[in-house]
Amino acid sequence: MSLSRVYGMQARLRTQLQKSAINVASTSPAPLVLESAAHRRWIASGTVCHEKLAAKPVQKHDWNRAVSEAEKIVGYPTSFLSLRWLLSDEIANVALHLRKLVGSNHPLLRTAKVLIYNGKSNMQAWGLIVLLVSKAVGHAPTIPDLEQDKSAGVLQSQRGLAEITEMIRTAHLVHQGLVNLQPMVNAGNELGNDTDTIFGNKIALLSGDYLLGNACLQLAGLRNQSLIELISSAVRDLTESSFFGERDVQNNALPSRPLERAGSEASVSSGMEVDLSFGDMVDNTQPLSLAGVMGNPEKEWSLRHILGAGSLLGKSCQGTIMLAGQPESLQRQGYMFGKHLSLAWQACIDLEPFSSDQLPPGGRFSLVSAPVLFHLDHEPSLYAEIEKGSESVENIDYAKVHAAVMRGPGLEKTRALQKRHSLAALTVLQEFPSSDARTALQNIIFAMQDI
């Protein structure tokens, strides 16, 4: 049967259904006609009438969907590129030893859960972002064909760099699971009662070293001196982030004392654009400048998270453009994109604990998050509560801090901060050629708004 006959039968069937509906409406009682008209409306489309359904709501950008579509573009079924290292014999033995820590409340168990659960609250899609940037900018025609993975549109070296980025990030998170077993005054004493914690520390240290060592070995295998220097500086920044600012005895981060300013000066400064270069606009392989940072809420928050996350992502994006043989100006744009993207992501994460008016019993949140720092600048008297955590953050009344932040301007300033960095990342994307990879990166940024 030809398609024209099929379409003709469908048209005749619609006409018969329309006539039947009109006949039913004309023979029905008046109340039924009114009731039917209230629930069913007909609109003309050519010579055929169709039932008008309720308009579907505009679909929001979904994080999982954005990541899933992006993975199809780069040809990887998962964004967790370091998975093959975690499935090696060495890490398999580590996984068996982790069972001994169950019930000990060691931070390494929580870290492992975060790494395995690749959901909205986890930024383990960094390798995916590096690959998307690689495909979005393309590569120079001088790149040999043997280096190209034409099925995915990226270079073999770029795929290796994405994996290196994931391994360094994972190693850093695992190392953060180390526990300080005793204060300095008791250093050297017997720790026989803390055997589970000692064992957990050994596993965290060795697992992180294993991933970091493999990342360094693979980075050296790329045989690019400029890239090695760039990524090595990112590892240095990750290390500095663990010693940045005030800390309690367990190395939990504490905010600095807010600067004392007059009310008029504070209101004027809050509306000014804050310089977030820290010297990395000149040479981002050098240590970042701390001048005028401590006590300034936006500068302190930005530098803390550039060291702890933005440096690695930005320099990985810069490095993958370097491997593509693209000009240095475009490489710098890649760094700025990764830097702003990581800060926009962190602002979204910082807002999560304040999505509810009440903090759950025993709930905790980062004391150096953007809403807290902005509120301390607005209400410096709250810092008296923060000072109680100089020995341990457990001494702080988190419910009191949470309630104070909910009443202040910190949340609104954090939302504005997030939008500003998202817009900056989108602006950099406009420098890249139009492609499905660039669209996927834009979708990831838009999906952050709904997290």
Side-chain angles (χ1 to χ4, degrees):
M1 183 179 295
S2 63
L3 291 177
S4 60
R5 293 186 61 187
V6 172
Y7 293 151
M9 293 175 62
Q10 290 178 346
R12 288 193 296 270
L13 181 60
R14 293 193 192 99
T15 304
Q16 291 176 0
L17 291 175
Q18 174 190 351
K19 292 180 179 178
S20 300
I22 294 174
N23 292 334
V24 170
S26 62
T27 56
S28 300
L32 183 58
V33 173
L34 293 176
E35 182 181 359
S36 177
H39 290 80
R40 177 175 297 177
R41 290 177 295 173
W42 299 86
I43 57 174
S45 176
T47 58
V48 181
C49 293
H50 303 278
E51 185 174 2
K52 183 178 181 180
L53 302 178
K56 294 182 179 180
V58 178
Q59 184 177 5
K60 293 184 178 181
H61 292 274
D62 179 74
W63 169 257
N64 292 329
R65 180 179 179 181
V67 171
S68 177
E69 292 177 350
E71 288 170 348
K72 296 176 183 178
I73 293 174
V74 299
Y76 254 24
T78 175
S79 60
F80 197 64
L81 303 183
S82 58
L83 187 60
R84 70 184 182 94
W85 295 104
L86 295 181
L87 294 179
S88 62
D89 293 338
E90 291 84 354
I91 297 298
N93 292 330
V94 170
L96 292 176
H97 291 307
L98 278 176
R99 297 174 59 184
K100 300 179 181 179
L101 296 178
V102 175
S104 64
N105 198 29
H106 195 279
L108 181 59
L109 292 176
R110 296 193 294 271
T111 302
K113 181 179 178 180
V114 169
L115 293 176
I116 293 174
Y117 176 69
N118 189 21
K120 293 181 179 180
S121 60
N122 191 7
M123 194 53 175
Q124 286 302 307
W126 284 15
L128 174 63
I129 292 173
V130 173
L131 290 177
L132 287 173
V133 171
S134 305
K135 191 168 184 178
V137 300
H139 53 267
T142 56
I143 302 296
D145 290 341
L146 293 178
E147 286 290 324
Q148 303 177 24
D149 183 358
K150 295 186 178 180
S151 60
V154 298
L155 306 179
Q156 300 291 349
S157 56
Q158 291 175 325
R159 192 179 292 277
L161 178 59
E163 187 172 335
I164 290 169
T165 303
E166 288 278 8
M167 283 193 290
I168 294 176
R169 172 65 170 166
T170 305
H172 176 64
L173 294 176
V174 172
H175 277 156
Q176 286 183 322
L178 289 169
V179 178
N180 187 12
L181 298 178
Q182 56 185 200
M184 186 64 67
V185 293
N186 296 329
N189 292 345
E190 183 63 32
L191 295 172
N193 296 329
D194 297 318
T195 54
D196 288 340
T197 307
I198 294 174
F199 181 77
N201 280 357
K202 290 180 179 179
I203 296 298
L205 180 62
L206 295 176
S207 302
D209 286 351
Y210 170 77
L211 289 173
L212 186 58
N214 276 291
C216 294
L217 180 63
Q218 190 167 339
L219 179 62
L222 296 180
R223 300 182 180 277
N224 189 311
Q225 183 63 34
S226 299
L227 179 65
I228 292 174
E229 180 182 4
L230 184 67
I231 302 302
S232 298
S233 66
V235 176
R236 177 207 63 214
D237 292 340
L238 285 175
T239 304
E240 289 186 4
S241 69
S242 299
F243 302 94
F244 178 83
E246 300 292 333
R247 303 271 170 166
D248 71 348
V249 293
Q250 286 297 335
N251 205 42
N252 294 306
L254 295 171
S256 300
R257 182 181 296 276
L259 299 176
E260 295 183 3
R261 295 196 299 263
S264 58
E265 182 183 352
S267 61
V268 172
S269 62
S270 62
M272 295 175 59
E273 190 71 20
V274 179
D275 181 18
L276 302 179
S277 60
F278 307 112
D280 56 346
M281 296 300 295
V282 179
D283 183 4
N284 61 353
T285 61
Q286 298 299 316
L288 300 182
S289 173
L290 298 178
V293 170
M294 309 311 294
N296 184 305
E298 186 169 352
K299 281 192 173 184
E300 181 178 338
W301 176 85
S302 300
L303 182 57
R304 185 185 300 275
H305 293 295
I306 289 174
L307 289 172
S311 176
L312 178 61
L313 183 58
K315 292 176 181 179
S316 296
C317 294
Q318 177 181 352
T320 198
I321 300 177
M322 179 190 301
L323 291 172
Q326 298 290 358
E328 185 175 350
S329 59
L330 192 59
Q331 297 175 24
R332 299 292 300 178
Q333 292 296 320
Y335 171 72
M336 296 304 298
F337 171 76
K339 172 182 173 180
H340 286 295
L341 179 62
S342 67
L343 292 178
W345 173 263
Q346 187 61 48
C348 290
I349 298 299
D350 288 353
L351 286 169
E352 285 186 358
F354 302 96
S355 59
S356 176
D357 294 337
Q358 298 292 331
L359 185 68
R364 302 270 289 272
F365 52 87
S366 174
L367 296 172
V368 293
S369 62
V372 176
L373 291 177
F374 280 127
H375 187 81
L376 286 175
D377 188 60
H378 169 73
E379 185 184 350
S381 60
L382 185 64
Y383 193 75
E385 184 66 33
I386 301 297
E387 287 181 314
K388 297 179 182 179
S390 58
E391 290 295 327
S392 174
V393 294
E394 296 180 358
N395 298 330
I396 296 177
D397 187 350
Y398 280 85
K400 178 180 178 180
V401 177
H402 183 275
V405 173
M406 292 296 296
R407 296 191 304 265
L411 296 178
E412 189 61 33
K413 289 185 177 181
T414 303
R415 294 187 186 97
L417 181 70
Q418 192 275 333
K419 292 178 181 178
R420 190 158 64 250
H421 286 293
S422 295
L423 182 60
L426 289 171
T427 302
V428 174
L429 277 183
Q430 301 308 311
E431 302 293 331
F432 300 164
S434 178
S435 63
D436 53 353
R438 191 183 80 170
T439 302
L441 288 169
Q442 291 173 343
N443 290 338
I444 288 177
I445 295 175
F446 291 144
M448 289 182 184
Q449 317 298 322
D450 301 324
I451 294 179

Tab-separated table of all heavy atoms in Angstrom, residues 215-263:
chain	number	residue	atom	x	y	z
A	215	ALA	N	48.984	9.287	37.646
A	215	ALA	CA	48.711	10.503	36.886
A	215	ALA	C	50.019	11.157	36.435
A	215	ALA	O	50.138	11.596	35.278
A	215	ALA	CB	47.891	11.474	37.730
A	216	CYS	N	50.999	11.214	37.321
A	216	CYS	CA	52.291	11.813	36.964
A	216	CYS	C	53.007	10.983	35.901
A	216	CYS	O	53.637	11.534	34.981
A	216	CYS	CB	53.169	11.940	38.212
A	216	CYS	SG	52.537	13.104	39.444
A	217	LEU	N	52.907	9.653	36.005
A	217	LEU	CA	53.538	8.788	35.005
A	217	LEU	C	52.906	8.980	33.628
A	217	LEU	O	53.605	9.078	32.608
A	217	LEU	CB	53.411	7.329	35.450
A	217	LEU	CG	54.025	6.274	34.515
A	217	LEU	CD1	55.537	6.468	34.404
A	217	LEU	CD2	53.711	4.861	35.026
A	218	GLN	N	51.584	9.070	33.595
A	218	GLN	CA	50.904	9.263	32.324
A	218	GLN	C	51.150	10.662	31.772
A	218	GLN	O	51.256	10.852	30.562
A	218	GLN	CB	49.402	9.024	32.502
A	218	GLN	CG	48.617	8.963	31.200
A	218	GLN	CD	47.221	8.410	31.400
A	218	GLN	OE1	46.962	7.726	32.389
A	218	GLN	NE2	46.329	8.707	30.473
A	219	LEU	N	51.259	11.657	32.660
A	219	LEU	CA	51.553	13.021	32.219
A	219	LEU	C	52.941	13.085	31.586
A	219	LEU	O	53.126	13.732	30.547
A	219	LEU	CB	51.462	13.979	33.407
A	219	LEU	CG	51.767	15.452	33.138
A	219	LEU	CD1	50.761	16.032	32.148
A	219	LEU	CD2	51.752	16.254	34.442
A	220	ALA	N	53.913	12.412	32.185
A	220	ALA	CA	55.259	12.389	31.604
A	220	ALA	C	55.264	11.684	30.248
A	220	ALA	O	56.040	12.045	29.354
A	220	ALA	CB	56.221	11.695	32.562
A	221	GLY	N	54.372	10.696	30.090
A	221	GLY	CA	54.301	9.977	28.821
A	221	GLY	C	53.802	10.820	27.665
A	221	GLY	O	54.012	10.455	26.501
A	222	LEU	N	53.166	11.943	27.943
A	222	LEU	CA	52.719	12.835	26.871
A	222	LEU	C	53.872	13.607	26.235
A	222	LEU	O	53.716	14.170	25.148
A	222	LEU	CB	51.669	13.820	27.403
A	222	LEU	CG	50.359	13.198	27.892
A	222	LEU	CD1	49.413	14.273	28.399
A	222	LEU	CD2	49.697	12.383	26.794
A	223	ARG	N	55.014	13.677	26.932
A	223	ARG	CA	56.252	14.271	26.399
A	223	ARG	C	56.034	15.700	25.903
A	223	ARG	O	56.374	16.065	24.785
A	223	ARG	CB	56.816	13.403	25.273
A	223	ARG	CG	57.169	11.994	25.705
A	223	ARG	CD	57.769	11.184	24.577
A	223	ARG	NE	58.095	9.835	25.008
A	223	ARG	CZ	59.209	9.473	25.650
A	223	ARG	NH1	60.118	10.403	25.918
A	223	ARG	NH2	59.419	8.226	26.015
A	224	ASN	N	55.420	16.503	26.756
A	224	ASN	CA	55.205	17.912	26.443
A	224	ASN	C	55.632	18.719	27.664
A	224	ASN	O	54.922	18.751	28.677
A	224	ASN	CB	53.733	18.163	26.099
A	224	ASN	CG	53.487	19.558	25.564
A	224	ASN	OD1	53.930	20.541	26.136
A	224	ASN	ND2	52.767	19.632	24.454
A	225	GLN	N	56.791	19.355	27.571
A	225	GLN	CA	57.367	20.028	28.730
A	225	GLN	C	56.475	21.158	29.229
A	225	GLN	O	56.291	21.339	30.438
A	225	GLN	CB	58.750	20.587	28.366
A	225	GLN	CG	59.483	21.246	29.532
A	225	GLN	CD	59.781	20.261	30.652
A	225	GLN	OE1	60.047	19.093	30.406
A	225	GLN	NE2	59.729	20.741	31.895
A	226	SER	N	55.890	21.940	28.318
A	226	SER	CA	55.032	23.052	28.736
A	226	SER	C	53.790	22.545	29.449
A	226	SER	O	53.349	23.130	30.448
A	226	SER	CB	54.631	23.890	27.510
A	226	SER	OG	55.758	24.441	26.879
A	227	LEU	N	53.235	21.441	28.958
A	227	LEU	CA	52.055	20.874	29.604
A	227	LEU	C	52.398	20.327	30.979
A	227	LEU	O	51.620	20.490	31.933
A	227	LEU	CB	51.465	19.774	28.717
A	227	LEU	CG	50.225	19.074	29.275
A	227	LEU	CD1	49.053	20.049	29.374
A	227	LEU	CD2	49.840	17.877	28.416
A	228	ILE	N	53.545	19.679	31.107
A	228	ILE	CA	53.961	19.139	32.402
A	228	ILE	C	54.116	20.258	33.428
A	228	ILE	O	53.682	20.138	34.580
A	228	ILE	CB	55.276	18.348	32.248
A	228	ILE	CG1	55.035	17.074	31.416
A	228	ILE	CG2	55.848	17.982	33.618
A	228	ILE	CD1	56.305	16.305	31.103
A	229	GLU	N	54.713	21.364	33.016
A	229	GLU	CA	54.870	22.505	33.920
A	229	GLU	C	53.512	23.070	34.314
A	229	GLU	O	53.289	23.422	35.488
A	229	GLU	CB	55.710	23.586	33.243
A	229	GLU	CG	55.933	24.818	34.116
A	229	GLU	CD	56.722	25.893	33.399
A	229	GLU	OE1	57.020	25.715	32.205
A	229	GLU	OE2	57.029	26.927	34.032
A	230	LEU	N	52.591	23.133	33.376
A	230	LEU	CA	51.269	23.696	33.650
A	230	LEU	C	50.490	22.831	34.637
A	230	LEU	O	49.950	23.342	35.629
A	230	LEU	CB	50.498	23.826	32.333
A	230	LEU	CG	49.118	24.484	32.408
A	230	LEU	CD1	49.258	25.955	32.777
A	230	LEU	CD2	48.388	24.342	31.068
A	231	ILE	N	50.415	21.535	34.404
A	231	ILE	CA	49.656	20.645	35.283
A	231	ILE	C	50.344	20.504	36.636
A	231	ILE	O	49.680	20.374	37.682
A	231	ILE	CB	49.446	19.276	34.617
A	231	ILE	CG1	48.712	19.451	33.288
A	231	ILE	CG2	48.657	18.354	35.527
A	231	ILE	CD1	47.367	20.124	33.394
A	232	SER	N	51.669	20.550	36.655
A	232	SER	CA	52.386	20.483	37.932
A	232	SER	C	52.050	21.685	38.809
A	232	SER	O	51.928	21.559	40.037
A	232	SER	CB	53.894	20.420	37.681
A	232	SER	OG	54.248	19.258	36.968
A	233	SER	N	51.901	22.849	38.198
A	233	SER	CA	51.510	24.033	38.975
A	233	SER	C	50.093	23.874	39.527
A	233	SER	O	49.786	24.399	40.606
A	233	SER	CB	51.611	25.289	38.105
A	233	SER	OG	50.656	25.269	37.048
A	234	ALA	N	49.231	23.142	38.819
A	234	ALA	CA	47.888	22.893	39.341
A	234	ALA	C	47.939	21.971	40.552
A	234	ALA	O	47.184	22.160	41.520
A	234	ALA	CB	47.008	22.284	38.248
A	235	VAL	N	48.828	20.979	40.528
A	235	VAL	CA	49.001	20.099	41.694
A	235	VAL	C	49.533	20.894	42.880
A	235	VAL	O	49.121	20.685	44.029
A	235	VAL	CB	49.945	18.927	41.342
A	235	VAL	CG1	50.209	18.057	42.563
A	235	VAL	CG2	49.353	18.086	40.216
A	236	ARG	N	50.451	21.832	42.605
A	236	ARG	CA	50.942	22.713	43.678
A	236	ARG	C	49.802	23.526	44.286
A	236	ARG	O	49.698	23.665	45.514
A	236	ARG	CB	52.012	23.644	43.114
A	236	ARG	CG	52.560	24.680	44.109
A	236	ARG	CD	53.067	25.909	43.404
A	236	ARG	NE	52.009	26.598	42.685
A	236	ARG	CZ	52.191	27.240	41.533
A	236	ARG	NH1	53.386	27.273	40.963
A	236	ARG	NH2	51.170	27.850	40.960
A	237	ASP	N	48.907	24.052	43.441
A	237	ASP	CA	47.782	24.834	43.949
A	237	ASP	C	46.854	23.971	44.806
A	237	ASP	O	46.327	24.445	45.824
A	237	ASP	CB	47.004	25.440	42.779
A	237	ASP	CG	47.808	26.499	42.038
A	237	ASP	OD1	48.766	27.033	42.625
A	237	ASP	OD2	47.490	26.768	40.860
A	238	LEU	N	46.632	22.718	44.402
A	238	LEU	CA	45.806	21.823	45.216
A	238	LEU	C	46.412	21.633	46.602
A	238	LEU	O	45.696	21.606	47.610
A	238	LEU	CB	45.665	20.467	44.525
A	238	LEU	CG	44.723	20.387	43.323
A	238	LEU	CD1	44.813	19.002	42.686
A	238	LEU	CD2	43.287	20.670	43.741
A	239	THR	N	47.733	21.505	46.646
A	239	THR	CA	48.407	21.332	47.940
A	239	THR	C	48.263	22.590	48.797
A	239	THR	O	47.988	22.515	50.002
A	239	THR	CB	49.893	21.018	47.713
A	239	THR	OG1	50.016	19.870	46.873
A	239	THR	CG2	50.592	20.738	49.037
A	240	GLU	N	48.433	23.765	48.189
A	240	GLU	CA	48.309	25.013	48.940
A	240	GLU	C	46.892	25.203	49.472
A	240	GLU	O	46.700	25.819	50.533
A	240	GLU	CB	48.685	26.192	48.044
A	240	GLU	CG	50.166	26.282	47.719
A	240	GLU	CD	50.520	27.534	46.943
A	240	GLU	OE1	49.615	28.369	46.732
A	240	GLU	OE2	51.696	27.686	46.562
A	241	SER	N	45.900	24.681	48.774
A	241	SER	CA	44.512	24.860	49.229
A	241	SER	C	44.264	24.171	50.568
A	241	SER	O	43.362	24.567	51.308
A	241	SER	CB	43.547	24.303	48.181
A	241	SER	OG	43.624	22.892	48.095
A	242	SER	N	45.058	23.154	50.886
A	242	SER	CA	44.881	22.443	52.154
A	242	SER	C	45.470	23.204	53.331
A	242	SER	O	45.280	22.793	54.484
A	242	SER	CB	45.531	21.052	52.072
A	242	SER	OG	44.925	20.274	51.055
A	243	PHE	N	46.187	24.290	53.063
A	243	PHE	CA	46.819	25.072	54.136
A	243	PHE	C	46.412	26.535	54.059
A	243	PHE	O	47.020	27.386	54.698
A	243	PHE	CB	48.347	24.949	54.052
A	243	PHE	CG	48.845	23.539	54.130
A	243	PHE	CD1	49.089	22.815	52.982
A	243	PHE	CD2	49.042	22.926	55.357
A	243	PHE	CE1	49.537	21.502	53.044
A	243	PHE	CE2	49.491	21.621	55.431
A	243	PHE	CZ	49.728	20.907	54.269
A	244	PHE	N	45.386	26.824	53.300
A	244	PHE	CA	44.961	28.204	53.083
A	244	PHE	C	44.013	28.639	54.185
A	244	PHE	O	43.025	27.963	54.486
A	244	PHE	CB	44.270	28.319	51.716
A	244	PHE	CG	43.746	29.685	51.410
A	244	PHE	CD1	44.573	30.667	50.900
A	244	PHE	CD2	42.416	30.000	51.631
A	244	PHE	CE1	44.089	31.927	50.610
A	244	PHE	CE2	41.917	31.259	51.341
A	244	PHE	CZ	42.767	32.232	50.832
A	245	GLY	N	44.289	29.785	54.821
A	245	GLY	CA	43.381	30.353	55.806
A	245	GLY	C	43.423	29.645	57.152
A	245	GLY	O	44.266	28.788	57.428
A	246	GLU	N	42.474	30.029	58.015
A	246	GLU	CA	42.389	29.481	59.360
A	246	GLU	C	41.888	28.031	59.308
A	246	GLU	O	41.091	27.656	58.452
A	246	GLU	CB	41.435	30.321	60.210
A	246	GLU	CG	41.850	31.784	60.354
A	246	GLU	CD	43.111	31.944	61.186
A	246	GLU	OE1	43.369	31.065	62.040
A	246	GLU	OE2	43.838	32.934	60.992
A	247	ARG	N	42.371	27.209	60.280
A	247	ARG	CA	42.001	25.794	60.344
A	247	ARG	C	41.838	25.373	61.795
A	247	ARG	O	42.455	25.944	62.701
A	247	ARG	CB	43.089	24.919	59.708
A	247	ARG	CG	43.419	25.279	58.263
A	247	ARG	CD	42.557	24.536	57.312
A	247	ARG	NE	42.672	25.030	55.942
A	247	ARG	CZ	42.218	24.374	54.881
A	247	ARG	NH1	41.633	23.198	55.035
A	247	ARG	NH2	42.325	24.893	53.688
A	248	ASP	N	40.979	24.354	62.008
A	248	ASP	CA	40.922	23.767	63.336
A	248	ASP	C	41.937	22.621	63.389
A	248	ASP	O	42.706	22.404	62.458
A	248	ASP	CB	39.501	23.303	63.666
A	248	ASP	CG	39.088	22.075	62.878
A	248	ASP	OD1	39.790	21.703	61.908
A	248	ASP	OD2	38.047	21.472	63.211
A	249	VAL	N	41.949	21.871	64.504
A	249	VAL	CA	42.974	20.844	64.676
A	249	VAL	C	42.818	19.702	63.670
A	249	VAL	O	43.772	18.963	63.414
A	249	VAL	CB	42.934	20.290	66.119
A	249	VAL	CG1	43.349	21.358	67.110
A	249	VAL	CG2	41.553	19.736	66.450
A	250	GLN	N	41.617	19.526	63.103
A	250	GLN	CA	41.409	18.494	62.098
A	250	GLN	C	41.532	19.049	60.678
A	250	GLN	O	41.146	18.390	59.714
A	250	GLN	CB	40.022	17.864	62.286
A	250	GLN	CG	39.909	16.928	63.478
A	250	GLN	CD	40.822	15.712	63.366
A	250	GLN	OE1	41.191	15.307	62.287
A	250	GLN	NE2	41.176	15.160	64.513
A	251	ASN	N	42.094	20.249	60.568
A	251	ASN	CA	42.332	20.906	59.284
A	251	ASN	C	41.040	21.275	58.564
A	251	ASN	O	41.027	21.458	57.346
A	251	ASN	CB	43.202	20.045	58.358
A	251	ASN	CG	43.961	20.886	57.341
A	251	ASN	OD1	44.486	21.947	57.675
A	251	ASN	ND2	44.024	20.410	56.105
A	252	ASN	N	39.943	21.406	59.299
A	252	ASN	CA	38.712	21.922	58.715
A	252	ASN	C	38.843	23.433	58.530
A	252	ASN	O	39.310	24.138	59.427
A	252	ASN	CB	37.511	21.611	59.610
A	252	ASN	CG	37.240	20.131	59.700
A	252	ASN	OD1	37.097	19.450	58.684
A	252	ASN	ND2	37.171	19.605	60.919
A	253	ALA	N	38.435	23.922	57.380
A	253	ALA	CA	38.627	25.331	57.040
A	253	ALA	C	37.709	26.229	57.858
A	253	ALA	O	36.538	25.904	58.103
A	253	ALA	CB	38.379	25.550	55.555
A	254	LEU	N	38.236	27.368	58.285
A	254	LEU	CA	37.488	28.394	59.011
A	254	LEU	C	37.649	29.730	58.291
A	254	LEU	O	38.717	30.013	57.733
A	254	LEU	CB	37.990	28.524	60.451
A	254	LEU	CG	37.786	27.322	61.371
A	254	LEU	CD1	38.532	27.521	62.675
A	254	LEU	CD2	36.308	27.111	61.634
A	255	PRO	N	36.619	30.545	58.269
A	255	PRO	CA	36.738	31.848	57.598
A	255	PRO	C	37.625	32.803	58.387
A	255	PRO	O	37.786	32.674	59.606
A	255	PRO	CB	35.291	32.342	57.542
A	255	PRO	CG	34.603	31.655	58.673
A	255	PRO	CD	35.267	30.314	58.815
A	256	SER	N	38.193	33.764	57.693
A	256	SER	CA	38.998	34.797	58.342
A	256	SER	C	38.091	35.852	58.962
A	256	SER	O	36.916	35.979	58.610
A	256	SER	CB	39.940	35.448	57.327
A	256	SER	OG	40.798	34.493	56.763
A	257	ARG	N	38.645	36.593	59.895
A	257	ARG	CA	37.885	37.669	60.509
A	257	ARG	C	37.557	38.722	59.459
A	257	ARG	O	38.441	39.173	58.724
A	257	ARG	CB	38.674	38.297	61.657
A	257	ARG	CG	37.933	39.414	62.393
A	257	ARG	CD	38.794	39.988	63.490
A	257	ARG	NE	39.053	38.982	64.500
A	257	ARG	CZ	38.244	38.690	65.514
A	257	ARG	NH1	37.099	39.356	65.640
A	257	ARG	NH2	38.559	37.760	66.394
A	258	PRO	N	36.289	39.120	59.345
A	258	PRO	CA	35.937	40.122	58.329
A	258	PRO	C	36.614	41.455	58.604
A	258	PRO	O	36.883	41.817	59.752
A	258	PRO	CB	34.411	40.214	58.450
A	258	PRO	CG	34.089	39.693	59.819
A	258	PRO	CD	35.127	38.668	60.127
A	259	LEU	N	36.900	42.181	57.542
A	259	LEU	CA	37.546	43.481	57.660
A	259	LEU	C	36.591	44.490	58.289
A	259	LEU	O	35.374	44.452	58.058
A	259	LEU	CB	37.985	43.983	56.281
A	259	LEU	CG	38.996	43.103	55.531
A	259	LEU	CD1	39.251	43.676	54.141
A	259	LEU	CD2	40.300	43.010	56.313
A	260	GLU	N	37.135	45.374	59.107
A	260	GLU	CA	36.331	46.424	59.726
A	260	GLU	C	36.207	47.592	58.759
A	260	GLU	O	37.197	48.191	58.350
A	260	GLU	CB	36.980	46.876	61.034
A	260	GLU	CG	37.021	45.777	62.097
A	260	GLU	CD	37.606	46.290	63.401
A	260	GLU	OE1	37.919	47.499	63.458
A	260	GLU	OE2	37.737	45.496	64.345
A	261	ARG	N	34.971	47.887	58.370
A	261	ARG	CA	34.717	48.992	57.453
A	261	ARG	C	33.513	49.773	57.940
A	261	ARG	O	32.624	49.232	58.611
A	261	ARG	CB	34.442	48.486	56.028
A	261	ARG	CG	35.618	47.797	55.368
A	261	ARG	CD	35.378	47.704	53.864
A	261	ARG	NE	34.194	46.939	53.559
A	261	ARG	CZ	34.200	45.653	53.228
A	261	ARG	NH1	35.335	45.005	53.182
A	261	ARG	NH2	33.079	45.030	52.950
A	262	ALA	N	33.487	51.034	57.577
A	262	ALA	CA	32.316	51.853	57.898
A	262	ALA	C	31.139	51.386	57.059
A	262	ALA	O	31.295	50.771	56.008
A	262	ALA	CB	32.613	53.328	57.629
A	263	GLY	N	29.933	51.678	57.530
A	263	GLY	CA	28.738	51.219	56.828
A	263	GLY	C	28.664	51.730	55.416
A	263	GLY	O	28.319	51.006	54.482
